[in-house]
């Protein structure tokens, strides 16, 4: 593969350290992405998987801090513990109700961010989508949905949410309600009726995911207006049945791999001091890993 720098570098006393805390954590693509960027920018740093059992999160985080780590990403099952341990929750964490990135500040404080929502929006922008153009129809009301709805509404976009469990969609709308936000809840059984009123459709459910609850999820998009952007955050497979159905109708599509790449940028910038580029090389690296 062209343009991909060597992945192994010497580790020494000055090496800056970060990692991803989860249980299990071996499936995480974060080490692949961060170590690629470290090599690309010639940074003396390393990013490691940190398998931490449930119940040991706090002791692990305090230990990493004491050992001089710059911070960490946090994944299942520790996202609630990460929320609780933070000394300062940034707006993204408060709005999305979750934390996936911890930054250990020089004064000993733990700063917490959620980067999924802004990563989603940054990826849309990278695909040339005018994100100020709404309204958006969001399928799902889980953790990822909340982060995405928060980021969309923060940009003034009106959002309709359709979720199998309607009460969960209503809870999400309630949690994010403010005088500035416009969030409606729509019936899961009839969400395709609302397609003509929307410019962006986002699947945040696990439908369409390989090995998920329904990996052939391909709703009827006959009512989608011309030019509607269809985005899926499921990234295995990269082209989900929903995206294939949209592409077959000539609609622009945005797959879930770009969100995965963009959500990693904030942590890298905070820990290692460079805003890393999401370019064709790192996309190819991720694609090859997902295919393998
Ligand atoms: N691209 C990225 O960077 C990225 C980042 C985060 C997550 N993701 C992907 O996003 C998906 C959701 O993640 P999450 O953390 O939000 O999960 P979550 O909190 O567990 O939410 C799952 C959502 O899927 C819905 N769902 C599950 N099974 C369903 C079914 N059979 N029929 C209809 N709806 C169903 C749930 O509806 P109910 O409320 O009715 O159960 C809920 O809205 C996963 O596939 C994950 O891999 C991608």
């Amino acid at each position: 593969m062209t343009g991909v720098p060597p992945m192994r570098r010497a580790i020494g006393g000055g090496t800056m350290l970060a990692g991803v805390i989860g249980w299990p954590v071996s499936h995480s693509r974060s080490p692949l992405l961060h170590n690629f960027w470290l090599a690309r920018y010639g940074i003396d740093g390393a990013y490691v998987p940190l398998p931490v059992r449930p119940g040991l999160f706090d002791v692990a985080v305090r230990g990493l801090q004491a050992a001089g780590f710059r911070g960490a990403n946090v994944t299942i099952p520790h996202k609630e513990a990460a929320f609780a341990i933070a000394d300062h929750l940034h707006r993204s964490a408060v709005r999305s109700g979750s934390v996936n990135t911890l930054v250990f500040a020089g004064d000993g404080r733990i700063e917490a961010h959620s980067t999924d929502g802004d990563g989603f929006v940054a990826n849309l922008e990278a695909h040339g989508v005018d994100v100020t153009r709404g309204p958006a129809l969001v399928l799902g009301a889980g953790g990822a949905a909340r982060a995405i709805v928060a980021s969309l509404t923060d940009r003034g976009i009106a959002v309709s949410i359709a979720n199998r469990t309607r009460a969960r969609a209503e809870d999400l709308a309630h949690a994010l309600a403010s005088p500035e936000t416009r969030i409606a809840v729509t019936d899961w059984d009839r969400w395709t009726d609302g397609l003509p009123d929307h410019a962006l459709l986002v699947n945040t459910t696990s439908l369409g995911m390989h090995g998920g609850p329904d990996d052939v999820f391909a709703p009827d998009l006959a009512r989608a207006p011309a030019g509607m952007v269809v985005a899926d955050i499921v990234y295995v497979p990269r082209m989900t049945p929903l995206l294939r159905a949209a592409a077959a109708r000539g609609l622009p599509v945005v797959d879930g791999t770009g969100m995965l790449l963009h959500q990693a940028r904030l942590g890298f910038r905070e820990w290692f001091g460079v805003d890393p580029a999401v370019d064709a090389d790192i996309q190819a690296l991720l694609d090859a890993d997902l295919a393998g």
Side-chain angles (χ1 to χ4, degrees), residues 88-173:
H88 180 233
L89 293 164
H90 284 259
R91 178 179 161 79
S92 61
V94 175
R95 292 277 287 156
S96 66
S98 71
V99 162
N100 68 356
T101 304
L102 296 177
V103 177
F104 303 153
D107 61 3
R109 281 158 35 109
I110 298 177
E111 309 260 345
H113 306 256
S114 168
T115 64
D116 278 341
D118 286 349
F120 172 79
V121 170
N123 183 44
L124 285 186
E125 288 170 340
H127 281 78
V129 177
D130 174 9
V131 287
T132 60
R133 203 170 61 106
L137 176 54
V138 173
L139 308 181
R146 178 163 168 176
I148 287 169
V149 173
S151 286
L152 291 174
T153 53
D154 280 355
R155 288 162 177 79
I157 299 172
V159 175
S160 309
I161 307 168
N163 192 50
R164 175 181 61 175
T165 309
R166 187 182 172 100
R168 213 173 167 197
E170 285 167 352
D171 287 350
L172 196 165

Side-chain angles (χ1 to χ4, degrees), residues 215-231:
D215 61 8
V216 293
F217 175 66
D220 180 7
L221 298 178
R223 306 194 68 185
M228 169 184 250
V229 176
V230 179

Side-chain angles (χ1 to χ4, degrees), residues 45-70:
Y47 183 104
V48 291
L50 297 160
V52 173
R53 288 178 186 277
L56 291 179
F57 180 80
D58 285 23
V59 73
V61 167
R62 298 296 176 200
L64 293 171
Q65 250 190 315
F69 271 59
R70 299 290 175 118

